[in-house]
Amino acid sequence: MASTATSMHDVSQMSDTEMRKLENQIARKYAGDVPWGVVVWAFANLVFWLSLWPLVLTDTIPLWLGFVLSSLSLMTVYLPTHEAQHDIIGRPGTKLRWLNELLGHATSWMILLPFGTLRVTHLDHHRHTNDAELDSDITTQADTAWQALLESIRQRQPDAKRAQDYRASLERAGRADLIGLTALYKLGFFGLMFAMAWNGLALEAFLLWWLPYQIAMTYIIFFLSWAPHSPGLTTGRYRNTKSWKSKLGDPLSMWMGYHVVHHLHPYIPLLKTKDAYWEMRPILEKRGVKLGL
């Protein structure tokens, strides 16, 4: 499935410099356009999730259906914010910078984290992928899928290492202010849960936000962090992630089978990583990337 750029060249005969030049040429081909589909996705999902509350509270739809729809909605929150974390919608100094920041801030609160915290810790993950001391997502490592699922739940407990790693990442970046803001997000969430329970809406609070949030975070951590990096023991530009085939297909695994392209060229929009991967594949193979596709 390799496309024009690699099919016109014999990569096996190229020097490192020539391969890097060709790889960057392919990457630039897929970068630069605003991912408008992701922008619509982000704000439509926000409106959809907010609408579930009055629909359930007025008995327009049953609570069980609200729970299912809320879980699905929260499972899809992260990817648009992830595009914004990498400034893909609008880079600093460009006319769409406001939209990039608005999208990030307007949706990240749904999964109980400030946009700034997500951005700082995620970029730290890119800088130090699989580094046992500095990778803010190192706690997603596990030997098997089941262990990864269980570990993602354990790491959401108050005394978990993941919270400590995020705090350390923010401190290294000189963003201690985000530590307090992150705590306020959590306290605000629990305050709202308590207020709803106090007013006889405990089940609604539990099934429209608390439990869907837990399900969504398990899903997001599994597909966005564990699956592309497992077993997560190697470092290096072409060895700290891989390509892999999901039995659920690309949309349900959030196109993470091509995550290696994102780590190599994080400015490529998510929905273009698949095409970029197939065009780069001969280069990635020669570079020693672990290929499952």
Side-chain angles (χ1 to χ4, degrees):
M1 295 179 67
S3 189
T4 53
T6 47
S7 59
M8 290 171 59
H9 298 81
D10 182 0
V11 226
S12 64
Q13 302 302 314
M14 286 184 175
S15 65
D16 280 356
T17 302
E18 290 170 330
M19 275 199 299
R20 178 62 65 86
K21 183 178 178 181
L22 180 58
E23 180 187 321
N24 289 336
Q25 175 189 329
I26 296 168
R28 286 194 296 270
K29 173 181 172 181
Y30 292 98
D33 294 334
V34 176
W36 289 109
V38 169
V39 175
V40 172
W41 165 0
F43 290 109
N45 188 45
L46 170 63
V47 172
F48 174 77
W49 185 77
L50 290 173
S51 73
L52 294 176
W53 292 83
L55 288 173
V56 168
L57 294 177
T58 59
D59 293 323
T60 305
I61 63 173
L63 180 56
W64 69 264
L65 180 58
F67 160 67
V68 172
L69 295 176
S70 179
S71 299
L72 293 172
S73 177
L74 291 182
M75 286 162 67
T76 66
V77 165
Y78 183 76
L79 285 179
T81 74
H82 178 257
E83 301 281 87
Q85 289 165 38
H86 287 285
D87 303 323
I88 290 174
I89 296 157
R91 300 192 68 77
T94 63
K95 63 180 182 180
L96 287 179
R97 181 61 175 175
W98 66 273
L99 181 59
N100 189 91
E101 302 303 280
L102 175 63
L103 186 152
H105 289 290
T107 55
S108 63
W109 62 271
M110 296 164 68
I111 51 174
L112 312 184
L113 281 169
F115 177 54
T117 297
L118 286 171
R119 172 182 270 158
V120 170
T121 55
H122 182 66
L123 295 183
D124 233 11
H125 161 68
H126 272 263
R127 280 188 290 268
H128 307 292
T129 308
N130 296 341
D131 184 305
E133 299 298 323
L134 298 175
D135 185 351
S136 54
D137 288 334
I138 198 68
T139 51
T140 63
Q141 286 184 351
D143 293 333
T144 68
W146 283 112
Q147 288 176 0
L149 291 171
L150 292 173
E151 187 63 18
S152 74
I153 295 170
R154 194 180 75 80
Q155 287 298 330
R156 290 199 293 278
Q157 307 311 307
D159 61 342
K161 182 178 184 295
R162 186 176 182 84
Q164 299 169 22
D165 288 347
Y166 269 43
R167 182 186 183 98
S169 175
L170 296 174
E171 289 175 341
R172 286 195 302 270
R175 294 303 310 272
D177 58 304
L178 289 172
I179 297 172
L181 184 60
T182 302
L184 283 176
Y185 270 52
K186 303 291 186 182
L187 289 173
F189 170 71
F190 286 115
L192 180 60
M193 295 294 100
F194 176 81
M196 290 189 69
W198 185 264
N199 287 281
L201 297 171
L203 271 180
E204 287 79 0
F206 178 73
L207 290 174
L208 285 181
W209 202 349
W210 190 90
L211 188 54
Y213 163 76
Q214 302 298 340
I215 293 170
M217 290 308 297
T218 301
Y219 172 82
I220 289 167
I221 290 170
F222 181 86
F223 279 109
L224 269 80
S225 191
W226 179 78
H229 295 289
S230 63
L233 300 176
T234 55
T235 58
R237 178 175 170 81
Y238 294 96
R239 290 175 174 77
N240 57 24
T241 187
K242 63 184 181 182
S243 71
W244 59 283
K245 186 175 181 61
S246 170
K247 293 179 181 178
L248 297 181
D250 292 339
L252 290 180
S253 59
M254 298 184 283
W255 293 273
M256 289 299 111
Y258 315 98
H259 194 62
V260 58
V261 171
H262 171 65
H263 265 257
L264 292 171
H265 305 280
Y267 48 85
I268 297 177
L270 169 73
L271 297 180
K272 292 187 176 184
T273 54
K274 179 178 181 177
D275 289 340
Y277 169 81
W278 285 112
E279 192 162 349
M280 287 180 191
R281 194 181 187 285
I283 298 172
L284 302 180
E285 185 174 21
K286 189 175 179 187
R287 291 290 197 185
V289 173
K290 184 178 179 183
L291 301 178
L293 287 165

